Amino acid sequence: MLKLFVATSVACLTLAGGAAAQQTSNQPSRAEQQQTTAVLPGRISDGNQRSAQDRRRSDRRQQQAATPTPEQVAAEVGPLVAVAAPNCQMTESALLGAREDGTKLFEVACATGPGYVIEAVAGAPKANDCVLQWSFGEIQREADPAADVGLQCSLPGNQNPVQVIAAYGVEAGLNCQVDKALATAVDTYEIGCADRDGWRLEREAGAWDATPCWELALTSNVTCRFSTREDAQAEWPKLVVGTDAAACQVEDVAWMGDNPERGSFYELKCASGEGVIVRFKDGAGQQTYSCIDAPQIFRKPCSLTTVEAPAAAPAPTGGRA
């Protein structure tokens, strides 16, 4: 009876519904609609995800194609280094990027000496010394620890600025265990020594001129950042060895002047109260003078030692013996 009822009901629906039943048969069922509603968004999402992944893969492929290999970078920058920094035997190189005008920037490290940032200016490449860039950045940070110091060299072979400057000191013949060093200007460097007073180096026409920091402090308004007054005082016993002032326990020093032919003159105040003047030439003490004779020799008295004027000779008496 159930089967028949069902069949009869279907028949009645067919006869009564006619065209409406035919239209209904062409539409998806509720279950199908629910399934379609559940599936389609998932399919769309999967499609977007695949599209995004494809775009990322494409971007990576383009980036990899645009990024030169280390060998390509070295081949491109090598001829530029030969022109802009001919003394550099290149050991490392990297492409840093480009300026707004398209000029490429490279960094190179060298077997000896400083590395460089190379600007690939057409026809005239420029080399910027990594030691100078680091030094000027350090000077800026002394005034403001948060200062923006600009582009700094980052290759492993360029993380040795103190050692590079120390090598300059060796070239200049300095006897110094370098513990600190810095460029204070182009071709001007300061060296700090672990065991003695430091130096200032200046390079001119490829030659080095070295000035001890104690001398700078006495003869100019330049002071060395890596040397102290105690370092300078410790130099004087060495400076007067072999002179008549060797026994002077130096308490203070003043510069008296220079003579192009004879050298430099310094007044030494001794712990004994005596004052002496030492003439230096070619880095060594040459001659000493007493402060008593300073007014006659230098036309001025010693400034650190008070010397009593010699007693006037008694006036001659008149009359006959």
Side-chain angles (χ1 to χ4, degrees):
M1 291 293 295
L2 180 60
K3 291 181 180 180
L4 178 61
F5 175 78
V6 171
T8 303
S9 300
V10 171
C12 292
L13 288 172
T14 302
L15 293 173
Q22 180 68 33
Q23 183 179 358
T24 303
S25 64
N26 292 330
Q27 296 178 351
S29 67
R30 183 179 300 275
E32 289 173 334
Q33 291 175 346
Q34 291 175 348
Q35 184 178 6
T36 300
T37 303
V39 171
L40 285 180
R43 289 176 180 171
I44 294 172
S45 175
D46 289 346
N48 287 340
Q49 185 174 359
R50 285 195 297 272
S51 178
Q53 290 174 347
D54 290 342
R55 285 195 298 270
R56 285 194 292 270
R57 292 193 189 98
S58 177
D59 291 342
R60 283 197 295 270
R61 284 194 295 270
Q62 292 177 0
Q63 183 178 4
Q64 289 170 356
T67 302
T69 65
E71 292 76 16
Q72 290 172 326
V73 171
E76 184 174 1
V77 74
L80 304 177
V81 173
V83 174
N87 292 329
C88 173
Q89 181 183 344
M90 189 173 66
T91 59
E92 298 175 80
S93 61
L95 175 62
L96 303 180
R99 298 194 187 279
E100 293 181 357
D101 62 0
T103 301
K104 290 184 179 180
L105 299 177
F106 299 87
E107 180 186 345
V108 298
C110 309
T112 59
Y116 299 93
V117 172
I118 303 294
E119 297 182 59
V121 179
K126 298 179 181 179
N128 302 283
D129 188 316
C130 287
V131 170
L132 291 183
Q133 290 184 233
W134 169 80
S135 296
F136 297 158
E138 290 295 296
I139 292 172
Q140 284 184 273
R141 290 192 183 103
E142 287 179 0
D144 178 9
D148 180 3
V149 298
L151 179 63
Q152 295 290 302
C153 297
S154 59
L155 286 175
N158 287 332
Q159 306 309 303
N160 59 345
V162 173
Q163 289 84 351
V164 171
I165 299 174
Y168 296 158
V170 173
E171 293 176 11
L174 301 185
N175 177 21
C176 170
Q177 182 183 340
V178 179
D179 58 356
K180 296 179 182 179
L182 192 75
T184 57
V186 176
D187 287 333
T188 303
Y189 303 86
E190 182 185 334
I191 286 180
C193 305
D195 55 347
R196 58 175 303 173
D197 190 47
W199 301 80
R200 184 177 68 174
L201 289 179
E202 296 179 272
R203 178 166 47 194
E204 185 174 355
W208 291 107
D209 179 37
T211 306
C213 286
W214 63 259
E215 182 177 330
L216 287 172
L218 292 173
T219 63
S220 70
N221 58 358
V222 176
T223 56
C224 294
R225 54 176 38 82
F226 303 136
S227 294
T228 65
R229 179 180 173 84
E230 289 73 23
D231 291 332
Q233 287 181 325
E235 290 299 303
W236 283 100
K238 309 171 193 174
L239 293 169
V240 297
V241 167
T243 71
D244 293 338
C248 174
Q249 185 179 343
V250 181
E251 289 188 340
D252 204 356
V253 182
W255 175 61
M256 296 196 71
D258 291 335
N259 182 292
E261 296 179 356
R262 303 195 64 202
S264 300
F265 297 82
Y266 294 90
E267 175 193 349
L268 278 59
K269 180 182 178 181
C270 306
S272 62
E274 182 184 4
V276 295
I277 299 166
V278 181
R279 177 172 65 88
F280 288 91
K281 187 174 176 61
D282 300 327
Q286 301 288 333
Q287 191 173 0
T288 61
Y289 311 85
S290 170
C291 277
I292 296 174
D293 301 322
Q296 288 75 33
I297 298 175
F298 303 101
R299 298 183 181 178
K300 62 180 181 180
C302 288
S303 60
L304 303 177
T305 306
T306 301
V307 178
E308 294 183 5
T317 58
R320 297 178 181 177

Short mmCIF file of all heavy atoms in Angstrom, two decimals, residues 258-263 279 281:
data_model
loop_
_atom_site.label_atom_id
_atom_site.label_comp_id
_atom_site.label_asym_id
_atom_site.label_seq_id
_atom_site.Cartn_x
_atom_site.Cartn_y
_atom_site.Cartn_z
N ASP A 258 110.72 77.50 17.60
CA ASP A 258 111.42 76.64 16.63
C ASP A 258 112.41 77.47 15.83
O ASP A 258 112.21 78.67 15.61
CB ASP A 258 110.42 76.00 15.65
CG ASP A 258 109.55 74.97 16.31
OD1 ASP A 258 109.96 74.40 17.34
OD2 ASP A 258 108.44 74.73 15.80
N ASN A 259 113.44 76.81 15.39
CA ASN A 259 114.40 77.39 14.47
C ASN A 259 114.56 76.42 13.32
O ASN A 259 114.89 75.24 13.54
CB ASN A 259 115.74 77.62 15.17
CG ASN A 259 116.77 78.27 14.28
OD1 ASN A 259 117.24 77.68 13.32
ND2 ASN A 259 117.13 79.51 14.61
N PRO A 260 114.32 76.85 12.08
CA PRO A 260 114.36 75.91 10.95
C PRO A 260 115.66 75.14 10.85
O PRO A 260 115.66 73.99 10.40
CB PRO A 260 114.15 76.82 9.73
CG PRO A 260 113.45 78.02 10.26
CD PRO A 260 113.98 78.22 11.64
N GLU A 261 116.75 75.74 11.25
CA GLU A 261 118.04 75.08 11.11
C GLU A 261 118.47 74.35 12.37
O GLU A 261 119.08 73.27 12.29
CB GLU A 261 119.11 76.12 10.74
CG GLU A 261 118.89 76.77 9.39
CD GLU A 261 119.96 77.80 9.06
OE1 GLU A 261 120.84 78.04 9.94
OE2 GLU A 261 119.94 78.35 7.95
N ARG A 262 118.11 74.90 13.53
CA ARG A 262 118.64 74.33 14.78
C ARG A 262 117.65 73.40 15.49
O ARG A 262 118.07 72.59 16.31
CB ARG A 262 119.04 75.47 15.73
CG ARG A 262 120.05 76.43 15.12
CD ARG A 262 120.67 77.29 16.19
NE ARG A 262 121.45 76.49 17.13
CZ ARG A 262 121.76 76.87 18.37
NH1 ARG A 262 121.33 78.05 18.82
NH2 ARG A 262 122.48 76.10 19.15
N GLY A 263 116.37 73.50 15.19
CA GLY A 263 115.42 72.59 15.81
C GLY A 263 114.41 73.30 16.69
O GLY A 263 114.15 74.50 16.55
N ARG A 279 117.22 71.70 23.46
CA ARG A 279 117.04 71.84 22.02
C ARG A 279 116.93 70.44 21.40
O ARG A 279 117.80 69.59 21.62
CB ARG A 279 118.21 72.59 21.40
CG ARG A 279 118.12 72.71 19.87
CD ARG A 279 119.21 73.63 19.32
NE ARG A 279 120.55 73.09 19.54
CZ ARG A 279 121.17 72.26 18.69
NH1 ARG A 279 120.56 71.84 17.59
NH2 ARG A 279 122.40 71.85 18.94
N LYS A 281 116.33 68.15 17.85
CA LYS A 281 116.38 68.11 16.40
C LYS A 281 116.43 66.66 15.95
O LYS A 281 117.15 65.85 16.56
CB LYS A 281 117.61 68.87 15.87
CG LYS A 281 117.64 69.01 14.34
CD LYS A 281 118.79 69.90 13.90
CE LYS A 281 118.91 69.98 12.39
NZ LYS A 281 117.72 70.53 11.73
#
